PDB file of all heavy atoms in Angstrom:
ATOM      1  N   VAL B 360      38.708 -41.307 -18.787  1.00  0.00           N
ATOM      2  CA  VAL B 360      39.628 -42.455 -18.876  1.00  0.00           C
ATOM      3  C   VAL B 360      39.866 -43.009 -17.467  1.00  0.00           C
ATOM      4  O   VAL B 360      39.850 -44.225 -17.254  1.00  0.00           O
ATOM      5  CB  VAL B 360      40.962 -42.037 -19.546  1.00  0.00           C
ATOM      6  CG1 VAL B 360      41.965 -43.204 -19.531  1.00  0.00           C
ATOM      7  CG2 VAL B 360      40.731 -41.553 -20.976  1.00  0.00           C
ATOM      8  N   ALA B 361      40.063 -42.113 -16.522  1.00  0.00           N
ATOM      9  CA  ALA B 361      40.304 -42.533 -15.135  1.00  0.00           C
ATOM     10  C   ALA B 361      39.108 -43.313 -14.587  1.00  0.00           C
ATOM     11  O   ALA B 361      39.275 -44.315 -13.893  1.00  0.00           O
ATOM     12  CB  ALA B 361      40.583 -41.325 -14.249  1.00  0.00           C
ATOM     13  N   TYR B 362      37.922 -42.847 -14.915  1.00  0.00           N
ATOM     14  CA  TYR B 362      36.738 -43.576 -14.441  1.00  0.00           C
ATOM     15  C   TYR B 362      36.706 -44.979 -15.050  1.00  0.00           C
ATOM     16  O   TYR B 362      36.383 -45.964 -14.371  1.00  0.00           O
ATOM     17  CB  TYR B 362      35.434 -42.820 -14.773  1.00  0.00           C
ATOM     18  CG  TYR B 362      34.231 -43.617 -14.340  1.00  0.00           C
ATOM     19  CD1 TYR B 362      33.889 -43.701 -12.991  1.00  0.00           C
ATOM     20  CD2 TYR B 362      33.489 -44.357 -15.268  1.00  0.00           C
ATOM     21  CE1 TYR B 362      32.827 -44.487 -12.567  1.00  0.00           C
ATOM     22  CE2 TYR B 362      32.426 -45.143 -14.857  1.00  0.00           C
ATOM     23  CZ  TYR B 362      32.101 -45.209 -13.506  1.00  0.00           C
ATOM     24  OH  TYR B 362      31.061 -45.996 -13.094  1.00  0.00           O
ATOM     25  N   ALA B 363      37.098 -45.082 -16.325  1.00  0.00           N
ATOM     26  CA  ALA B 363      37.142 -46.393 -16.994  1.00  0.00           C
ATOM     27  C   ALA B 363      38.185 -47.287 -16.328  1.00  0.00           C
ATOM     28  O   ALA B 363      37.942 -48.475 -16.102  1.00  0.00           O
ATOM     29  CB  ALA B 363      37.447 -46.208 -18.471  1.00  0.00           C
ATOM     30  N   ILE B 364      39.315 -46.710 -15.997  1.00  0.00           N
ATOM     31  CA  ILE B 364      40.385 -47.486 -15.349  1.00  0.00           C
ATOM     32  C   ILE B 364      39.907 -48.002 -13.987  1.00  0.00           C
ATOM     33  O   ILE B 364      40.204 -49.122 -13.586  1.00  0.00           O
ATOM     34  CB  ILE B 364      41.666 -46.615 -15.207  1.00  0.00           C
ATOM     35  CG1 ILE B 364      42.277 -46.356 -16.591  1.00  0.00           C
ATOM     36  CG2 ILE B 364      42.690 -47.261 -14.266  1.00  0.00           C
ATOM     37  CD1 ILE B 364      43.432 -45.362 -16.617  1.00  0.00           C
ATOM     38  N   ARG B 365      39.128 -47.183 -13.301  1.00  0.00           N
ATOM     39  CA  ARG B 365      38.608 -47.564 -11.996  1.00  0.00           C
ATOM     40  C   ARG B 365      37.551 -48.677 -12.123  1.00  0.00           C
ATOM     41  O   ARG B 365      37.474 -49.571 -11.287  1.00  0.00           O
ATOM     42  CB  ARG B 365      37.966 -46.315 -11.368  1.00  0.00           C
ATOM     43  CG  ARG B 365      37.666 -46.429  -9.884  1.00  0.00           C
ATOM     44  CD  ARG B 365      36.641 -45.379  -9.468  1.00  0.00           C
ATOM     45  NE  ARG B 365      37.164 -44.016  -9.418  1.00  0.00           N
ATOM     46  CZ  ARG B 365      36.385 -42.963  -9.119  1.00  0.00           C
ATOM     47  NH1 ARG B 365      35.094 -43.124  -8.861  1.00  0.00           N
ATOM     48  NH2 ARG B 365      36.901 -41.754  -9.086  1.00  0.00           N
ATOM     49  N   THR B 366      36.751 -48.584 -13.178  1.00  0.00           N
ATOM     50  CA  THR B 366      35.560 -49.425 -13.274  1.00  0.00           C
ATOM     51  C   THR B 366      35.742 -50.709 -14.086  1.00  0.00           C
ATOM     52  O   THR B 366      35.163 -51.744 -13.752  1.00  0.00           O
ATOM     53  CB  THR B 366      34.403 -48.606 -13.899  1.00  0.00           C
ATOM     54  OG1 THR B 366      34.299 -47.377 -13.178  1.00  0.00           O
ATOM     55  CG2 THR B 366      33.081 -49.336 -13.815  1.00  0.00           C
ATOM     56  N   ALA B 367      36.538 -50.657 -15.143  1.00  0.00           N
ATOM     57  CA  ALA B 367      36.681 -51.811 -16.044  1.00  0.00           C
ATOM     58  C   ALA B 367      37.049 -53.102 -15.315  1.00  0.00           C
ATOM     59  O   ALA B 367      36.484 -54.158 -15.613  1.00  0.00           O
ATOM     60  CB  ALA B 367      37.684 -51.492 -17.144  1.00  0.00           C
ATOM     61  N   PRO B 368      37.987 -53.055 -14.324  1.00  0.00           N
ATOM     62  CA  PRO B 368      38.366 -54.299 -13.653  1.00  0.00           C
ATOM     63  C   PRO B 368      37.202 -54.963 -12.916  1.00  0.00           C
ATOM     64  O   PRO B 368      37.246 -56.163 -12.655  1.00  0.00           O
ATOM     65  CB  PRO B 368      39.452 -53.857 -12.659  1.00  0.00           C
ATOM     66  CG  PRO B 368      39.982 -52.589 -13.199  1.00  0.00           C
ATOM     67  CD  PRO B 368      38.822 -51.920 -13.866  1.00  0.00           C
ATOM     68  N   GLN B 369      36.174 -54.179 -12.567  1.00  0.00           N
ATOM     69  CA  GLN B 369      35.028 -54.766 -11.870  1.00  0.00           C
ATOM     70  C   GLN B 369      34.002 -55.338 -12.843  1.00  0.00           C
ATOM     71  O   GLN B 369      32.964 -55.859 -12.427  1.00  0.00           O
ATOM     72  CB  GLN B 369      34.339 -53.701 -11.006  1.00  0.00           C
ATOM     73  CG  GLN B 369      35.229 -53.130  -9.926  1.00  0.00           C
ATOM     74  CD  GLN B 369      34.781 -51.727  -9.504  1.00  0.00           C
ATOM     75  OE1 GLN B 369      33.613 -51.382  -9.619  1.00  0.00           O
ATOM     76  NE2 GLN B 369      35.726 -50.922  -9.028  1.00  0.00           N
ATOM     77  N   MET B 370      34.274 -55.198 -14.120  1.00  0.00           N
ATOM     78  CA  MET B 370      33.330 -55.699 -15.126  1.00  0.00           C
ATOM     79  C   MET B 370      33.875 -56.996 -15.732  1.00  0.00           C
ATOM     80  O   MET B 370      35.058 -57.326 -15.596  1.00  0.00           O
ATOM     81  CB  MET B 370      33.118 -54.635 -16.225  1.00  0.00           C
ATOM     82  CG  MET B 370      32.475 -53.349 -15.694  1.00  0.00           C
ATOM     83  SD  MET B 370      32.467 -51.972 -16.875  1.00  0.00           S
ATOM     84  CE  MET B 370      31.247 -52.515 -18.070  1.00  0.00           C
ATOM     85  N   ASN B 371      32.977 -57.736 -16.431  1.00  0.00           N
ATOM     86  CA  ASN B 371      33.393 -58.991 -17.063  1.00  0.00           C
ATOM     87  C   ASN B 371      34.115 -58.714 -18.379  1.00  0.00           C
ATOM     88  O   ASN B 371      33.822 -57.714 -19.035  1.00  0.00           O
ATOM     89  CB  ASN B 371      32.174 -59.873 -17.346  1.00  0.00           C
ATOM     90  CG  ASN B 371      31.498 -60.283 -16.055  1.00  0.00           C
ATOM     91  OD1 ASN B 371      32.173 -60.501 -15.040  1.00  0.00           O
ATOM     92  ND2 ASN B 371      30.174 -60.359 -16.091  1.00  0.00           N
TER      93      ASN B 371
END
Side-chain angles (χ1 to χ4, degrees):
Chain B
V360 175
Y362 177 75
I364 291 172
R365 194 199 287 177
T366 309
Q369 298 155 27
M370 296 170 71
N371 296 325

